[in-house]
Amino acid sequence: MKAARIAIRNAAPLAATGGGGGSRAPREVEYFSRYSPSPLSMKQFLDFGSTNACERTSFSFLRHELPVRLANILKEIDLLPSPLLSTPSVQLVKNWYLQSLMELVEFREKKTDDQRTLSDFIDAIVKVRNRHHDVVPTMAQGVLEYRDSLKMDPSTNQNIQYFLDRFYMNRISIRMLINQHTLIFDKGDSAGNPRHIGCIDPCCDVVDLVHDAYQSAQMLCDQYYFSSPELKLTQMNGKAPGQPIHIVYVPSHLFHMLFELFKISDRGGGVPVRKVESLFSYTYSTAPKPVMDSSNTTPLAGFGYGLPISRLYAKYFHGDLQLCSISGFGTDAIIYLKALSTDSIEKLPVFNKSVCKHYQTIIEADDWCIPSKEPKNFSRQSAAA
């Protein structure tokens, strides 16, 4: 919290001057929010990166698309309840997004055939990516601040869930675009795998990723509980029996999902059916409340965003993540992914009138009987009569 207040004090003067865009910022947000984001398929990412990768073409697309995606979600941030919007953490995130938008707008009129411009653009989007590094825990901290100060009614809780799903999905998509551009065109970035096309692995080995995610989860489990369960892995390739399973996917996304699921998929008693959906709520967590400070360490649990964001990674390319729990037995976690790269298309939130109506919707009273926790004792009523 202290770090958030310091950062927001530093960001406020910036937003009031030329550095943050000043009075230009609302006009630019309004302008770019009139456009709908343009979703790309996995095949489009692959084809562009492998056969006809042109930095000027990518620059022309991103200098418009990135501000569009930022502006669309900025319009939704303004629809949040005032007490949540006014928290230091949410204000900090909003300032980050405004600053990033205004920095990208500077490239709108620049020539695409100028190598210096292309180089400056890479520097700019890397700066945006670094600035947004702590967006997830910072926004989560804002929700905690709001939850602790006011009692959330079901309608508000539903709207916050709706917003955070869209906000974090928007963030995943922005990072995807930035990572693809920098990994393909940034000559100074040597972090990429030579087999990959940007951050996509055309021949992603699922078993290898399962082992990597298990080892990371095992190390964490050993650190906190001094023991960990054994991994028993069975590989079944329905298309080519006996052959390893390879898919076209973003390894970091699948790793994130697997790592999170290793923490809950078990045969240790399961989760009651009534609580399964709660596991995907951003306001639900079984871990102790995290404490944010100015250090570089980010809590791994406590905010309640591990599973919800894992499901967003699955849904990003139109897959899904589901939990099947049998109380008293255990919990199975299932990840569904599209088999064809042509079907794996970005799922992107868009700001429109329907979105505004959603935030204004009030949950009506339930029109089904809600049973009490304990059955009524009719014998007492008869005795009284």
Side-chain angles (χ1 to χ4, degrees):
M1 279 299 299
K2 183 178 180 182
R5 291 193 184 97
I6 292 172
I8 202 168
R9 282 201 300 268
N10 293 336
L14 187 63
T17 62
S23 60
R24 272 185 57 208
R27 293 199 303 269
E28 297 293 358
V29 170
E30 191 64 35
Y31 170 78
F32 283 104
S33 66
R34 293 173 187 168
Y35 294 90
S36 294
S38 302
L40 300 175
S41 69
M42 191 83 77
K43 188 175 188 306
Q44 286 176 302
F45 279 119
L46 288 173
D47 289 347
F48 178 80
S50 58
T51 58
N52 57 348
C54 173
E55 187 173 1
R56 287 178 295 177
T57 303
S58 182
F59 164 68
S60 296
F61 174 71
L62 292 185
R63 69 176 173 180
H64 177 78
E65 183 64 18
L66 287 173
V68 166
R69 297 190 186 193
L70 288 167
N72 269 259
I73 207 63
L74 276 166
K75 294 290 285 186
E76 288 201 43
I77 290 176
D78 285 336
L79 295 178
L80 291 172
S82 296
L84 175 57
L85 182 58
S86 61
T87 60
S89 297
V90 175
Q91 280 296 305
L92 178 57
V93 170
K94 182 180 177 181
N95 281 338
W96 283 341
Y97 274 57
L98 282 171
Q99 188 175 350
S100 297
L101 177 95
M102 297 310 297
E103 289 175 1
L104 294 172
V105 165
E106 296 300 316
F107 291 91
R108 181 165 45 191
E109 304 298 333
K110 294 193 175 182
K111 296 180 180 179
T112 60
D113 57 356
D114 183 0
Q115 190 57 45
R116 178 62 183 273
T117 296
L118 299 178
S119 178
D120 288 345
F121 183 71
I122 288 178
D123 292 340
I125 60 177
V126 168
K127 188 176 179 181
V128 168
R129 183 176 61 196
N130 293 340
R131 178 184 297 126
H132 294 198
H133 181 268
D134 289 330
V135 158
V136 175
T138 305
M139 178 61 77
Q141 179 67 25
V143 173
L144 279 181
E145 294 166 12
Y146 175 65
R147 188 185 70 183
D148 291 345
S149 62
L150 294 169
K151 184 179 180 181
M152 284 199 295
D153 58 86
S155 179
T156 301
N157 190 62
Q158 177 179 285
N159 285 340
I160 290 176
Q161 183 77 18
Y162 174 80
F163 165 77
L164 291 177
D165 273 343
R166 296 165 64 81
F167 176 78
Y168 290 139
M169 185 72 88
N170 174 276
R171 179 180 183 269
I172 290 171
S173 76
I174 288 173
R175 289 182 70 84
M176 180 72 186
L177 293 182
I178 291 176
N179 288 341
Q180 281 299 105
H181 187 86
T182 55
L183 287 170
I184 292 173
F185 299 114
D186 187 0
K187 310 268 189 310
D189 190 348
S190 58
N193 187 313
R195 188 181 68 189
H196 294 182
I197 298 174
C199 56
I200 300 172
D201 188 348
C203 195
C204 181
D205 191 318
V206 176
V207 170
D208 278 354
L209 270 179
V210 169
H211 280 293
D212 289 345
Y214 166 75
Q215 288 172 2
S216 297
Q218 181 186 39
M219 183 172 62
L220 192 65
C221 194
D222 288 338
Q223 180 182 350
Y224 285 95
Y225 303 108
F226 306 106
S227 66
S228 56
E230 179 186 353
L231 174 65
K232 295 180 179 179
L233 180 61
T234 302
Q235 183 175 194
M236 297 177 64
N237 190 331
K239 187 176 181 181
Q243 297 298 313
I245 299 175
H246 293 100
I247 60 173
V248 179
Y249 210 70
V250 183
S252 60
H253 290 188
L254 186 52
F255 176 89
H256 185 104
M257 291 181 258
L258 292 167
F259 173 75
E260 188 64 33
L261 292 181
F262 268 124
K263 296 191 290 183
I264 58 97
S265 185
D266 65 359
R267 291 190 179 180
V271 180
V273 175
R274 67 182 183 277
K275 288 188 176 181
V276 169
E277 194 56 33
S278 298
L279 298 178
F280 291 104
S281 171
Y282 296 98
T283 56
Y284 176 86
S285 178
T286 57
K289 181 180 175 181
V291 178
M292 292 286 286
D293 55 33
S294 57
S295 67
N296 293 324
T297 57
T298 302
L300 290 174
F303 284 123
Y305 60 73
L307 275 175
I309 290 186
S310 293
R311 183 164 66 175
L312 292 183
Y313 273 116
K315 289 186 173 184
Y316 175 51
F317 280 117
H318 278 81
D320 201 1
L321 187 157
Q322 295 180 5
L323 297 181
C324 302
S325 185
I326 301 176
S327 186
F329 178 72
T331 303
D332 285 337
I334 305 169
I335 298 174
Y336 296 94
L337 302 176
K338 291 290 184 181
L340 301 177
S341 58
T342 51
D343 294 338
S344 301
I345 305 169
E346 289 184 292
K347 186 175 183 178
L348 304 175
V350 58
F351 178 78
N352 53 29
K353 291 182 179 179
S354 297
V355 172
C356 296
K357 289 180 180 178
H358 190 283
Y359 286 104
Q360 296 168 359
T361 302
I362 298 176
I363 299 178
E364 298 180 357
D366 200 337
D367 54 1
W368 292 87
C369 292
I370 302 176
S372 58
K373 293 182 180 179
E374 299 294 335
K376 291 183 178 180
N377 190 334
F378 290 103
S379 61
R380 289 183 180 179
Q381 294 182 3
S382 300

